[in-house]
Amino acid sequence: MPIIASNFKTNHTRKTTKEYIEKLNNYLKNSSIKNEVLVFPTSTSFDSFYTVSSLEIGAQNAYCTNNGSFTGEIGLEQLEEFNIKTILIGHSERRHILSESQEDIAKKYEFYKQQGFKIVYCIGEPLEVKNQGLEKILEYIFEQFIGIDINYSNLILAYEPVWAIGTGVTATNEDIEKIHSAIKEKISKPLLYGGSVKVENVRDICQIANVDGALIGTASWKVEDFIQIIENTKDLK
Ligand code: PEP
């Protein structure tokens, strides 16, 4: 059963997040969906949501601290208030726009691993690396595992080529298959694909060998579309 995840990024308010989660939860409850569904809203929209067990709310980011003086950040204490136990780490927007280094990312990973969080760990190459061919792509991707315990039991990986995120350009099925199988050969963890996945292509993508689900940004922000994405994959193994 594919794992289907929605990354809200900097979208939705407290009010619209609540409406989204209620609609999604009702759908999951009424249609007995077995997919593992993850939603990463903004941290200002966290709340004590009532959700079915297949739906988990996660954090897009948090600092590696219980609490303290880290202006603008949230830590474990703020996540625990809402029983959040899932976190996205290494997203390309945090690596490339917000300048998180591999060292910062590895520290964050270690901290939330120690807390037993489910970690969705993102990896992926920018366009200039893609243009250098498969060998360089894999070299770049495996460097993103420096300092990362790949044997952590609560780890999900997401391969997200940077040039495919939010651009409407998806990697070809052939490229996805090649890269996913190369990653899986070394790391035997659930591996999602992300990068312009949408209602129309999610089923095909989730049927590629070694693709265990999808991490979706833009096309998941309307709850009706996200529900359709789940509908389109619910019978897949
Ligand atoms: C993402 O942000 O993880 C993502 C895959 O975005 P999009 O679906 O918009 O490409």
Side-chain angles (χ1 to χ4, degrees):
M1 210 75 62
I3 299 167
I4 302 292
S6 165
N7 176 11
F8 278 21
K9 311 193 191 195
T10 318
N11 296 285
H12 279 295
T13 60
R14 197 170 172 74
K15 179 170 178 280
T16 63
T17 299
K18 184 169 183 282
E19 290 164 0
Y20 184 111
I21 289 171
E22 277 172 6
K23 277 191 191 157
L24 176 61
N25 192 58
N26 283 340
Y27 157 75
L28 294 173
K29 197 165 70 183
N30 296 332
S31 34
S32 317
I33 294 292
K34 300 275 182 319
N35 297 60
E36 184 175 343
V37 178
L38 307 173
V39 175
F40 297 90
T42 67
S43 56
T44 57
S45 301
F46 291 157
D47 212 337
S48 302
F49 297 111
Y50 162 75
T51 60
V52 291
S53 59
S54 57
L55 172 59
E56 271 176 57
I57 308 299
Q60 293 175 27
N61 179 47
Y63 196 61
C64 41
T65 187
N66 285 316
N67 50 32
S69 299
F70 305 97
T71 301
E73 297 285 338
I74 59 166
L76 181 65
E77 193 175 284
Q78 288 73 36
L79 299 178
E80 280 182 334
E81 183 179 10
F82 301 111
N83 206 25
I84 289 170
K85 297 209 166 308
T86 301
I87 187 166
L88 203 58
I89 295 182
H91 191 278
S92 74
E93 286 155 11
R94 297 212 58 87
R95 290 180 191 267
H96 299 289
I97 303 175
L98 295 150
S99 305
E100 270 186 24
S101 67
Q102 185 59 31
E103 201 185 341
D104 297 331
I105 290 167
K107 259 196 226 157
K108 199 174 280 190
Y109 185 96
E110 192 53 31
F111 181 85
Y112 284 99
K113 182 191 111 177
Q114 294 300 335
Q115 308 302 326
F117 270 54
K118 176 177 288 180
I119 298 177
V120 178
Y121 185 67
C122 305
I123 50 192
E125 81 291 353
L127 188 60
E128 63 272 22
V129 175
K130 173 194 163 44
N131 290 338
Q132 292 169 39
L134 186 63
E135 205 176 308
K136 290 282 179 207
I137 296 174
L138 294 175
E139 203 176 286
Y140 186 94
I141 288 173
F142 287 115
E143 278 177 12
Q144 294 180 319
F145 286 104
I146 293 173
I148 301 298
D149 174 8
I150 55 169
N151 297 313
Y152 177 45
S153 59
N154 215 355
L155 169 61
I156 296 175
L157 300 175
Y159 168 59
E160 300 205 302
V162 180
W163 47 271
I165 296 183
T167 58
V169 181
T170 319
T172 63
N173 290 5
E174 211 185 326
D175 281 344
I176 298 173
E177 186 166 350
K178 271 191 210 149
I179 292 165
H180 273 236
S181 48
I183 297 171
K184 279 270 190 170
E185 246 173 56
K186 296 206 174 167
I187 308 170
S188 179
K189 292 289 172 186
L191 177 55
L192 314 184
Y193 169 77
S196 298
V197 177
K198 43 189 178 268
V199 170
E200 297 78 17
N201 63 12
V202 68
R203 189 173 170 85
D204 275 358
I205 290 173
C206 287
Q207 285 178 294
I208 298 171
N210 292 316
V211 173
D212 301 305
L215 174 55
I216 305 148
T218 318
S220 70
W221 298 336
K222 271 196 204 149
V223 67
E224 294 74 18
D225 291 344
F226 192 54
I227 287 173
Q228 192 58 50
I229 283 170
I230 300 167
E231 272 291 305
N232 291 357
T233 55
K234 67 178 182 189
D235 62 325
L236 298 177
K237 294 228 178 73

